[in-house]
Amino acid sequence: LDRVTKSYVHIDSTIESRDDVFVAEAVLNPNLPPFLFVDRRSSMLCGSAGCSMEILAPRSGKYVPFQSWTVYDIQIKSDQVVNGWYPIVLSGNTWIYKNGKYILR
């Protein structure tokens, strides 16, 4: 993932370092390649609601912005499928995929 991180995840050196950014692949739709989850833990990007979390979608051999939140906890409910996608639990709230994005259930 280091190559992907360097190519697709911008690190703002004025407020964060590579040590503040965590990247993981996760499947959101069983029929699509994995998405990238970018968790930014810099003190400048975290507050009482949590830290910045971005999701990048695979598209034509690249990753493009998909959705972002400020969260302190994220889980993918891979035991369920709603509208062809796995629900996401963000800070205790369940979000489902509908009309091109995740919305609060």
Side-chain angles (χ1 to χ4, degrees):
L1 289 179
D2 191 49
R3 178 186 60 77
V4 172
T5 302
K6 288 178 183 174
S7 300
Y8 299 109
V9 179
H10 173 71
I11 306 294
D12 183 345
S13 61
T14 61
I15 59 173
E16 62 188 345
S17 71
R18 286 226 174 264
D19 295 336
D20 298 327
V21 179
F22 302 92
V23 179
E25 288 183 314
V27 173
L28 293 178
N29 179 320
N31 298 313
L32 296 175
F35 286 62
L36 284 184
F37 281 65
V38 181
D39 186 16
R40 297 180 181 276
R41 295 287 170 161
S42 165
S43 61
M44 297 292 289
L45 297 172
C46 295
S48 61
C51 297
S52 173
M53 168 70 69
E54 302 167 80
I55 300 176
L56 304 175
R59 187 167 300 140
S60 302
K62 295 184 177 188
Y63 286 91
V64 297
F66 178 69
Q67 203 153 347
S68 64
W69 294 279
T70 299
V71 299
Y72 60 85
D73 184 36
I74 185 167
Q75 298 172 350
I76 299 170
K77 297 181 89 173
S78 59
D79 61 338
Q80 299 178 22
V81 176
V82 178
N83 301 325
W85 294 69
Y86 298 132
I88 295 177
V89 179
L90 300 169
S91 304
N93 297 304
T94 301
W95 294 66
I96 60 169
Y97 185 84
K98 186 175 181 180
N99 298 326
K101 64 181 182 178
Y102 275 89
I103 61 169
L104 190 58
R105 180 183 261 177

